Amino acid sequence: MSCGSLEKLLTDIKSGSVSVADGMNMLRDSAVLDLGHTKFDLQRPARNGFPEVVYGEGKTPEQVGEIFVRVGERGNVLATRVSAQMAAHVQSVCPHAEYNALGRAMTLVTRPIVWKQGEVAIVTAGTSDLPVAEEALVTCRMMGVRAKIIADVGVAGIHRLMCNLPEVRAARAIIVVAGMEGALASVVGGLVAQPVVAVPTSVGYGASFAGLSALLGMLTSCASGVTVTNIDNGFGAACAACRIINACESSANA
């Protein structure tokens, strides 16, 4: 249940158009959608500002397909880490679902997205970091936050970042996606005033330890205030950036 739906229900109870007993039943029924294999949290938007997101990896195509069909009746759906096989099944039972193959993210929009003020810039060190950036991009947009990717501006050719710096600085929050040694997060963190969320990726040769080097480099960044997510966690970075956007909007409306 969204904040708007909850507010309407409480208003209807207050006015007497809905009884207290009926209101309690509606709240009880709207809390969780129990599919047997999945108990989908419908109250999360009222608590966190954005809905529960489906983690596709480890689920069967049939399970994800049922989630899309049933949850899609109530609102928009986002799933991450969705394989091509899983996506094909979901689209067979839910034809309007869209699949971002590079970001392995699947979406279904059944309600208009309400766009918030402010934009997120997603900056990648290399082209190989784009799958994680695409996951972050889809997540931001499904949560009502405009976002764009500024790709392949890593520190090996720092002039590429400088050419795009005005565009980066125009964003309200910045996600930096980088593998190898993860140095781009420190560079961006030292050049901008906005919050920076860094995402280490598993891109790199053997000594990068599948993203561990980038993770440790970002955690020990000399640029103060850089926040770091888990390896390859574009979704988590997008959630953090969206919380920043939500907080800014709430402050502006206070």
Side-chain angles (χ1 to χ4, degrees):
M1 180 177 285
S2 67
C3 290
S5 299
L6 180 58
E7 183 178 3
K8 183 180 184 304
L9 175 59
L10 294 175
T11 301
D12 289 344
I13 293 172
K14 182 179 179 180
S15 68
S17 60
V18 174
S19 70
V20 173
D22 287 342
M24 288 179 64
N25 288 333
M26 292 171 69
L27 285 171
R28 186 182 301 113
D29 294 340
S30 68
V32 174
L33 179 61
D34 191 347
L35 303 179
H37 53 77
T38 301
K39 292 178 175 58
F40 197 87
D41 182 2
L42 298 172
Q43 294 282 18
R44 196 166 297 183
R47 297 195 311 271
N48 291 358
F50 43 79
E52 181 173 7
V53 174
V54 181
Y55 183 75
E57 201 166 312
K59 293 182 176 64
T60 67
E62 292 74 21
Q63 288 170 341
V64 177
E66 185 178 4
I67 293 170
F68 266 78
V69 171
R70 296 289 303 280
V71 178
E73 296 171 352
R74 297 168 177 260
N76 300 335
V77 190
L78 167 62
T80 63
R81 305 304 164 97
V82 175
S83 67
Q85 177 190 6
M86 186 178 291
H89 174 77
V90 172
Q91 288 178 322
S92 73
V93 298
C94 196
H96 296 296
E98 296 185 2
Y99 183 51
N100 182 312
L102 187 57
R104 293 189 295 160
M106 195 148 205
T107 59
L108 175 64
V109 177
T110 60
R111 303 289 189 276
I113 294 175
V114 179
W115 296 100
K116 300 176 176 67
Q117 294 295 319
E119 186 177 55
V120 173
I122 304 169
V123 183
T124 79
T127 307
S128 299
D129 300 309
L130 278 174
V132 176
E134 286 285 339
E135 182 181 74
L137 179 74
V138 173
T139 301
C140 283
R141 289 177 175 173
M142 285 298 289
M143 293 182 181
V145 175
R146 292 179 174 84
K148 60 186 172 186
I149 293 176
I150 301 169
D152 198 25
V153 293
V155 297
I158 198 67
H159 58 289
R160 298 172 299 178
L161 173 63
M162 298 307 177
C163 291
N164 289 275
L165 202 52
E167 194 174 10
V168 175
R169 284 176 170 160
R172 184 164 285 178
I174 301 164
I175 296 172
V176 178
V177 185
M180 303 291 187
E181 82 287 15
L184 183 61
S186 289
V187 173
V188 173
L191 292 172
V192 302
Q194 296 90 330
V196 175
V197 182
V199 189
T201 73
S202 51
V203 173
Y205 294 105
S208 68
F209 296 107
L212 182 59
S213 292
L215 172 63
L216 295 177
M218 290 174 174
L219 286 172
T220 57
S221 170
C222 60
S224 302
V226 172
T227 301
V228 186
T229 71
N230 207 340
I231 298 168
D232 290 336
N233 192 4
F235 165 72
C239 288
C242 288
R243 284 178 182 265
I244 292 166
I245 299 294
N246 289 347
C248 291
E249 188 163 89
S250 296
S251 297
N253 295 332

